Amino acid sequence: AAPPVQSLSQEELGKFLEDLKNSKSPIFFSMALAQFCLGLRIGELCGMNWDALDLESRVARIEWTVMWDHTTWEPTIKHRPKNGKVRIVVIPEILFHELKRLKALRDPNVLLVFHSHGRPMNRQTVAKAYNRAVARLGIKHISGTHMMRKTSATLANEATGDFYAVSKLMDHSSPNVTLRYVAQTTAQKRKVADALNGVLVGKNGLEK
């Protein structure tokens, strides 16, 4: 059997983001929020630039990604994300307000949304910040940066029930890949049961 998908629950996500927001480096809250709301890979998150964000229309183009050397951890900014296709995503309202706040404070000479003195953020640095937060909360079943992408997929699927749309948001080459990201929850199964119940009750004249 495949191992269970590692993702935060809705309650854990709220506590995680709140912890990051109140930490000494709240920029990691902004990063985690963006990664969750847009379903981004860590490289895509670190490669986000202001020119690709249309805050007025609340859409973002995901067209750059950061690659890190496995030995030196030197970053390289690469055009096009993993699947080689630029994709357009809608910016949720809560992220819109956070990005608007960051834009008002930005260094106009730096195009990257998230950076360290003008250079792309280090993936290890982000992972350590996330891991410290989950450790403080006593959450032991999850770690690293990819947990935000998996949490985004799981909670989006749970909230909408639209697996195909979630797969598109994740930019997966196949829905089968998305299956490895989305945790199957009792809440989802209950929605299906309620929907089937609704087919039978009412218009079909069956009693509850």
Side-chain angles (χ1 to χ4, degrees):
V5 174
Q6 292 188 332
S7 65
L8 296 169
S9 67
Q10 185 175 354
E11 181 180 358
E12 290 170 336
L13 175 65
K15 292 179 179 179
F16 172 74
L17 292 174
E18 187 68 22
D19 184 277
L20 288 176
K21 191 173 185 179
N22 295 325
S23 69
K24 294 180 180 179
S25 301
I27 189 61
F28 295 113
F29 158 76
S30 305
M31 296 184 76
L33 183 67
Q35 193 178 4
F36 171 77
C37 287
L38 304 179
L40 300 178
R41 302 174 177 92
I42 185 62
E44 295 168 347
L45 174 71
C46 294
M48 279 180 63
N49 66 74
W50 290 110
D51 283 354
L53 299 180
D54 184 347
L55 295 185
E56 184 175 342
S57 299
R58 278 179 44 185
V59 295
R61 297 192 315 276
I62 309 304
E63 59 181 344
W64 298 93
T65 190
V66 175
M67 309 290 289
W68 292 270
D69 184 275
H70 292 300
T71 303
T72 65
W73 288 100
E74 277 296 305
T76 300
I77 300 179
K78 176 185 174 184
H79 190 236
R80 309 278 186 183
K82 187 175 180 180
N83 282 346
K85 298 179 182 178
V86 174
R87 68 187 188 277
I88 306 297
V89 293
V90 177
I91 301 172
E93 185 175 359
I94 188 171
L95 178 59
F96 161 75
H97 289 296
E98 181 63 15
L99 290 173
K100 189 175 180 180
R101 183 187 72 81
L102 292 177
K103 189 173 184 180
L105 302 173
R106 66 167 290 205
D107 180 345
N109 297 313
V110 180
L111 199 57
L112 292 170
V113 176
F114 304 110
H115 62 90
S116 177
H117 306 292
R119 288 173 56 80
M121 297 288 287
N122 188 300
R123 188 181 73 189
Q124 284 187 319
T125 302
V126 182
K128 287 178 182 178
Y130 286 7
N131 289 342
R132 284 194 294 266
V134 295
R136 285 191 293 266
L137 295 170
I139 300 172
K140 299 179 180 180
H141 69 281
I142 196 167
S143 64
T145 58
H146 214 55
M147 68 173 179
M148 294 309 299
R149 186 163 155 83
K150 292 185 176 182
T151 298
S152 178
T154 294
L155 295 186
N157 188 57
E158 185 175 322
T160 67
D162 193 336
F163 180 78
Y164 180 76
V166 172
S167 184
K168 288 296 183 182
L169 173 67
M170 293 294 107
D171 189 38
H172 287 150
S173 57
S174 163
N176 289 332
V177 179
T178 310
L179 282 172
R180 300 202 299 265
Y181 280 64
V182 174
Q184 300 300 312
T185 65
T186 301
Q188 287 174 276
K189 295 173 182 177
R190 186 174 293 113
K191 285 182 180 179
V192 173
D194 289 344
L196 294 176
N197 187 73
V199 172
L200 298 173
V201 175
K203 290 185 178 179
N204 288 321
L206 297 178
E207 297 295 330
K208 293 184 179 180

